[in-house]
Amino acid sequence: MPHTVELLDDEDSLTTVSRLETQTVARIHPSARMNNLPDHIHDEQRSVTTLNGSHLSAENQTLSPEDLSSLEKHIESPQPEALRFEHADPDRLMLSEEEALARAQDRPQDNEPIYLTFSNGDKENPRNWTHGKKYYITILVSALNVLTCVCAGGISSASTDIAAEFNVSAEVTTLGLSMYILGFALGPLVLAPLSEYWGRNPIYIWAWLLLVVFQIPLALAANIETIIVCRFIQGFFGSVPLTNTGGTVSDLWARNECGNAMAIYGLSSTAGPPIALVISGYIVQNKGWRMLFWIFMAILGGFWIILVLTLPETRHTIILDKKTKRVRKTMQKQGFQAASNIRDANADEKKGLHTLFAITLTRPFRFLFTEPITFCAAIYNGFIYGIVYLFNEAFPLVFGPTGHGFSTGEWGLSFLGLVLGPVIAALFHPLQERYYLRRVAANDGKGSPEARMWMSLGGAFLLPISLFWFGWTSYTSVAWIVPIIASAFFGAGIYIIILGILNYVVDSYQTYSASALAGVILVRNLVGAGFPLFGQQMYEKLGYEWASTLLAFLAILYIPIPFIFFYKGETIRLRSPWARENFNQDEDQPH
């Protein structure tokens, strides 16, 4: 009886060649692309190309003894596992580095196009790095997020001294904070496409270096104009963690194992702004405002050295591009024809800088004005961050000389409540993650974006409750610790909501999440830049109690958003052309 190959509709992608008397059968899943064979199987055509170039249909066909011998050799020999099959173009030969080199050695004159991809367990794939290395990078880039927020808000401790030295109003010195946050808003529009084109690492390093350098003109400033302009430039380059940190986490961690990493990132985003005043208060009080910027330069400069020495590139497309160049060079040295036609698996999807800028400068606005998920996430985040930075102006009134009589260093410490709240909330994040994974398991292993909002259902109530509490305990007759405890509950609320919404947006849009998040970040920081400009006037004219009450009533208006996402999110995603594309939640690609 002749030897045959059968295509079988079972779940085994490839077992082994088993001899049944005189018959040899290769069991091949019809959807699998067998890149570990020198031949390839076409999904759509359901066919096999043999080694000698003959074509077999899905029906059992006769193989020549030469083809059978070669087929058995390749199946029985150890083969590196490769990341393939998923969404592979049936007309492309997708190979790992080891497979590409082995194929070139077998066929030195063959120049069929090869698309290089990672193999399973590939040590160059950031998702296969050790947990220790991945956590180190996650903590490092999250620390950058904290530091740029410290740099942003720390100037509020110095505003009184700066106003006195340059003889300007409090509103003018507030521009030092607002211009930095405005830089936060606009920086990602430029840094994001540069990061996609050149990689995350160069943008981290060069942008952070410029943030360090521009501490010098601030420390030596001879007028308020220098401070305002330099603060905008600092915010622009200091936005690099906002641009890159979320993407770095996605590079390192698969969707269903990123819970702890996202908790760390979320903590850096929410505890970072208030910790600025905790750190800067006593520095300004004891050393003066100029020393504050010299100290910032020393701390940020130290982290820049750590970045240069220890932070690897994590963007998958950049790593794969470098791997492809290395393999091509190896092939060229050995005279293989394949060297002229090998490219990385993402080669056809790469865009030029002009295209990247066009997308970055237009698509976020399209998402903001056409996508309900992006719009609601943006206005909620904007409101929350607006209050966070407004508190930079409100806390000195409530706890400073006109309130509880605290010194600059002491009212800086009053922000500890806003720092401890997110820390405590982060301790409960495993409950959220456990709920999410249960929903994933119930959904046959596919993602469940709505499950990300579970804890936000309660967190939404923490914001108005804590603002009412803070407002009506701001009397000097009430112990100072009481409004600080209220601010801790506010901090816990913003952590829960911001992390939930961030995860929901990423999971909903997946491939397009960078554009959606860019819209959210833009609105968030534009509002964050504007709120401090009227914070002091609002608290002075309405009174401390009623100013906070106004914010609490506004917070009530946002309570429905998490409930809408949780209960009606699937319907909203189905109506979105961008979210509908990823509705099945069966992909998990870095963003």
Side-chain angles (χ1 to χ4, degrees):
M1 224 179 134
H3 299 294
T4 63
V5 171
E6 291 183 341
L7 292 175
L8 303 178
D9 288 329
D10 60 17
E11 291 302 316
D12 298 328
S13 60
L14 173 66
T15 55
T16 183
V17 174
S18 59
R19 294 186 179 275
L20 302 176
E21 297 180 357
T22 60
Q23 196 176 47
T24 299
V25 179
R27 297 167 60 86
I28 303 172
H29 191 280
S31 66
R33 183 172 175 81
M34 300 310 304
N35 294 314
N36 61 331
L37 297 177
D39 338 300
H40 51 280
I41 293 170
H42 298 277
D43 294 352
E44 295 174 358
Q45 298 173 334
R46 297 287 305 279
S47 61
V48 177
T49 304
T50 64
L51 297 177
N52 63 12
S54 61
H55 194 69
L56 300 180
S57 69
E59 303 293 333
N60 292 348
Q61 299 290 338
T62 300
L63 281 176
S64 68
E66 293 81 12
D67 282 332
L68 178 63
S69 175
S70 183
L71 180 64
E72 289 181 297
K73 181 184 74 173
H74 281 280
I75 293 176
E76 291 173 350
S77 62
Q79 296 291 332
E81 297 174 297
L83 289 176
R84 46 186 175 263
F85 312 145
E86 218 173 313
H87 303 285
D89 185 332
D91 295 325
R92 288 185 176 184
L93 187 60
M94 308 283 287
L95 301 178
S96 68
E97 177 179 354
E98 295 83 358
E99 292 168 334
L101 291 173
R103 190 177 195 278
Q105 289 173 349
D106 287 345
R107 305 178 180 187
Q109 301 305 314
D110 191 345
N111 65 349
E112 179 183 357
I114 295 174
Y115 290 84
L116 199 70
T117 186
F118 291 121
S119 63
N120 280 338
D122 196 320
K123 297 302 182 184
E124 293 185 66
N125 184 341
R127 289 191 174 180
N128 293 327
W129 293 347
T130 65
H131 270 58
K133 183 175 182 178
K134 292 197 289 186
Y135 272 117
Y136 169 77
I137 296 170
T138 300
I139 292 171
L140 176 59
V141 296
S142 295
L144 300 183
N145 208 18
V146 172
L147 289 171
T148 194
C149 291
V150 168
C151 190
I155 195 171
S156 294
S157 296
S159 59
T160 302
D161 292 350
I162 292 173
E165 179 165 337
F166 296 122
N167 194 28
V168 294
S169 66
E171 289 77 14
V172 172
T173 56
T174 302
L175 285 173
L177 171 63
S178 292
M179 292 302 287
Y180 195 105
I181 308 304
L182 182 62
F184 266 5
L186 301 181
L189 298 178
V190 175
L191 298 181
L194 295 179
S195 175
E196 184 169 345
Y197 191 78
W198 278 307
R200 304 196 196 281
N201 200 296
I203 307 306
Y204 271 127
I205 290 172
W206 288 105
W208 199 258
L209 177 61
L210 289 169
L211 175 62
V212 173
V213 169
F214 272 90
Q215 303 294 339
I216 298 174
L218 281 168
L220 301 175
N223 52 60
I224 193 66
E225 291 81 6
T226 300
I227 291 178
I228 293 172
V229 172
C230 288
R231 287 288 290 177
F232 172 77
I233 296 172
Q234 277 193 325
F236 187 92
F237 292 111
S239 69
V240 65
L242 281 68
T243 305
N244 272 348
T245 303
T248 300
V249 172
S250 177
D251 292 340
L252 297 170
W253 303 94
R255 179 181 59 205
N256 293 338
E257 63 176 27
C258 71
N260 293 334
M262 287 302 295
I264 294 170
Y265 172 47
L267 186 60
S268 72
S269 298
T270 52
I275 205 173
L277 285 302
V278 176
I279 295 173
S280 62
Y282 276 106
I283 295 175
V284 173
Q285 180 176 308
N286 297 326
K287 300 294 183 180
W289 67 269
R290 294 182 186 274
M291 181 56 67
L292 177 67
F293 297 112
W294 291 119
I295 292 175
F296 280 170
M297 187 181 74
I299 296 173
L300 300 179
F303 269 83
W304 181 78
I305 294 173
I306 295 173
L307 275 181
V308 172
L309 296 178
T310 67
L311 184 66
E313 178 60 59
T314 62
R315 194 176 189 95
H316 290 212
T317 55
I318 301 298
I319 295 173
L320 200 55
D321 181 64
K322 292 179 179 178
K323 178 192 276 281
T324 303
K325 291 177 180 176
R326 185 181 69 235
V327 173
R328 183 184 297 117
K329 188 174 181 180
T330 300
M331 289 180 172
Q332 287 172 341
K333 285 182 179 179
Q334 299 184 38
F336 297 145
Q337 291 296 314
S340 63
N341 240 346
I342 186 170
R343 64 202 70 179
D344 71 82
N346 305 295
D348 294 342
E349 300 173 7
K350 290 181 179 176
K351 303 175 181 68
L353 270 179
H354 180 271
T355 303
L356 290 173
F357 273 108
I359 292 173
T360 304
L361 295 174
T362 58
R363 189 181 286 171
F365 295 97
R366 291 175 62 188
F367 272 66
L368 277 173
F369 295 113
T370 63
E371 291 292 309
I373 293 174
T374 306
F375 177 77
C376 291
I379 61 172
Y380 207 175
N381 268 259
F383 175 71
I384 288 172
Y385 272 88
I387 295 178
V388 168
Y389 286 111
L390 181 146
F391 277 167
N392 281 29
E393 305 303 314
F395 269 47
L397 298 175
V398 174
F399 296 103
T402 60
H404 286 280
F406 289 1
S407 66
T408 300
E410 290 170 341
W411 66 251
L413 290 178
S414 67
F415 281 85
L416 275 174
L418 284 171
V419 175
L420 293 176
V423 172
I424 294 171
L427 298 178
F428 290 92
H429 182 72
L431 298 176
Q432 164 64 56
E433 193 64 14
R434 192 180 308 164
Y435 176 82
Y436 171 76
L437 293 176
R438 282 204 307 267
R439 288 280 297 271
V440 169
N443 196 30
D444 297 325
K446 297 179 181 179
S448 178
E450 285 69 36
R452 300 287 195 184
M453 298 301 299
W454 180 60
M455 283 190 69
S456 297
L457 302 181
F461 289 96
L462 284 177
L463 299 191
I465 290 172
S466 59
L467 287 169
F468 279 125
W469 181 353
F470 180 83
W472 293 99
T473 57
S474 294
Y475 293 104
T476 55
S477 58
V478 178
W480 55 266
I481 192 63
V482 179
I484 290 178
I485 294 173
S487 70
F489 279 89
F490 180 80
I494 65 174
Y495 174 85
I496 294 169
I497 293 169
I498 287 174
L499 186 57
I501 288 179
L502 174 68
N503 281 322
Y504 184 71
V505 170
V506 169
D507 282 8
S508 294
Y509 292 107
Q510 293 189 21
T511 307
Y512 306 105
S513 62
S515 296
L517 287 176
V520 173
I521 291 173
L522 177 65
V523 172
R524 182 179 85 183
N525 289 308
L526 287 176
V527 176
F531 267 43
L533 296 175
F534 62 79
Q536 182 173 339
Q537 297 92 318
M538 184 178 78
Y539 267 79
E540 287 177 344
K541 291 183 179 180
L542 295 181
Y544 305 162
E545 299 75 28
W546 283 106
S548 295
T549 298
L550 174 61
L551 297 175
F553 278 123
L554 291 174
I556 292 174
L557 299 178
Y558 291 91
I559 289 177
I561 291 178
F563 286 86
I564 293 171
F565 285 172
F566 188 78
Y567 290 106
K568 299 294 182 181
E570 282 194 9
T571 303
I572 297 172
R573 287 190 291 121
L574 271 174
R575 293 176 179 174
S576 161
W578 307 95
R580 187 168 60 241
E581 187 174 320
N582 300 288
F583 187 79
N584 289 332
Q585 294 291 309
D586 54 2
E587 288 188 30
D588 183 20
Q589 301 298 322
H591 308 300

